[in-house]
């Protein structure tokens, strides 16, 4: 009994740490925004410049080969904003809408290629492109623009469902999904979820805890813990009273 209580405390402490990291990531936006912006990537591409955000997107794709969408669950300030607003977002995203982000990503990548080609290719690499002394938000105009962007992210999530921006719009998500698909095809060890369906008591707490609004209970019962929309936040594993879901590295 004491060991079980200790295990539960460990689970809750992991989520406390995760949420704290997300809040810090959100609060750092005045410095970091231009390093994570797909719009800034396009602005740089028009001048033949590989920006800091392009370097980060490339790194996230490479990292997704081993840790999938951990960025979304643990570090992304846009994800943090949606979780902060989650008390007013009760519905799940309609799974058919998940496909919209693939179209958005194809258009974004096509425009990116077009702009780089028009500029004569990658002419320079500037990790601090668009920033002032390394900071992204340095004027009232920029702050107002950022406020509008985050209002739109909230609106999308409010209308579409929990983490609706991540599931319906975000092009970064698609890059990481592709990386995960490559990993799954090869089968090398990677961070993942696993479950023992035989121990499930059908309480449904895992699904209620999922910030992405996934039917985790259904995934457990089907023996299919791999989902393109899973951000490996471990909320389901940490909420399960029976420890049915485990979180760690493994092959296949």
């Amino acid at each position: 009994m004491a060991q079980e209580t200790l295990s539960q405390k460990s689970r809750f402490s992991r989520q406390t740490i995760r949420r704290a990291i997300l809040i810090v990531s959100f609060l750092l936006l005045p410095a970091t925004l231009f390093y994570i912006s797909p719009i800034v990537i396009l602005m740089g591409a028009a001048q033949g410049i590989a920006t800091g955000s392009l370097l980060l997107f490339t790194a996230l794709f490479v990292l997704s080969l081993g840790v999938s969408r951990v960025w979304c669950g643990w570090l992304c300030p846009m994800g943090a904003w949606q979780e902060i607003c989650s008390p007013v977002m009760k519905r799940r995203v309609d799974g058919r809408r998940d496909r919209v982000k693939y179209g958005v990503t194809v258009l974004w990548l096509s425009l990116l290629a077009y702009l780089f080609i028009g500029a004569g290719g990658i002419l320079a690499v500037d990790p601090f492109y668009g920033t002032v002394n390394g900071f992204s938000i340095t004027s009232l105009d920029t702050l107002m623009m950022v406020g509008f962007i985050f209002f739109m992210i909230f609106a999308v999530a409010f209308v579409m469902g929990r983490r609706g921006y991540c599931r319906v719009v975000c092009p970064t998500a698609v890059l990481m999904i592709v990386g995960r698909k490559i990993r799954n095809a090869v089968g090398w060890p990677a961070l993942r979820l696993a479950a023992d369906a035989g121990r499930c008591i059908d309480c449904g707490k895992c699904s209620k805890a999922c910030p992405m609004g996934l039917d985790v209970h259904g995934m457990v019962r089907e023996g299919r813990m791999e989902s393109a929309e899973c951000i490996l936040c471990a909320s389901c594993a940490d909420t399960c009273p029976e420890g049915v879901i485990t979180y760690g590295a493994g092959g296949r």
Side-chain angles (χ1 to χ4, degrees), residues 136-217:
S136 301
I137 303 176
T138 57
S139 68
L140 180 60
D141 289 343
T142 306
L143 180 61
M144 292 176 63
M145 178 186 70
V146 171
F148 176 75
I149 290 172
F150 274 81
F151 171 76
M152 292 305 298
I153 291 174
F154 169 82
V156 169
F158 183 79
V159 173
M160 296 295 181
R162 282 186 280 183
R163 282 229 181 187
Y165 176 80
C166 302
R167 291 193 59 175
V168 180
V169 179
C170 183
T172 320
V174 176
L175 298 179
M176 289 181 280
I177 288 171
V178 171
R180 185 64 170 191
K181 296 289 186 183
I182 294 172
R183 176 270 160 191
N184 290 344
V186 177
W188 57 61
L191 193 63
R192 64 176 188 144
L193 295 174
D196 181 357
R199 295 169 56 195
C200 179
I201 60 173
D202 299 317
C203 66
K205 290 182 178 180
C206 52
S207 294
K208 291 178 182 178
C210 178
M212 292 292 283
L214 300 178
D215 180 15
V216 183
H217 172 250

Side-chain angles (χ1 to χ4, degrees), residues 43-65:
M43 292 169 60
Q47 301 174 49
I49 298 173
T51 65
S53 45
L54 179 59
L55 298 178
L56 176 63
F57 277 38
T58 302
L60 290 176
F61 169 74
V62 174
L63 287 172
S64 70
L65 299 172

Side-chain angles (χ1 to χ4, degrees), residues 24 38 40 55 61 72 75 87 93 111 122 128 152 164 181 205 211 243:
V24 170
V40 171
L55 298 178
F61 169 74
C72 305
L75 288 165
V93 175
L111 181 57
I122 299 178
F128 304 107
M152 292 305 298
K181 296 289 186 183
K205 290 182 178 180

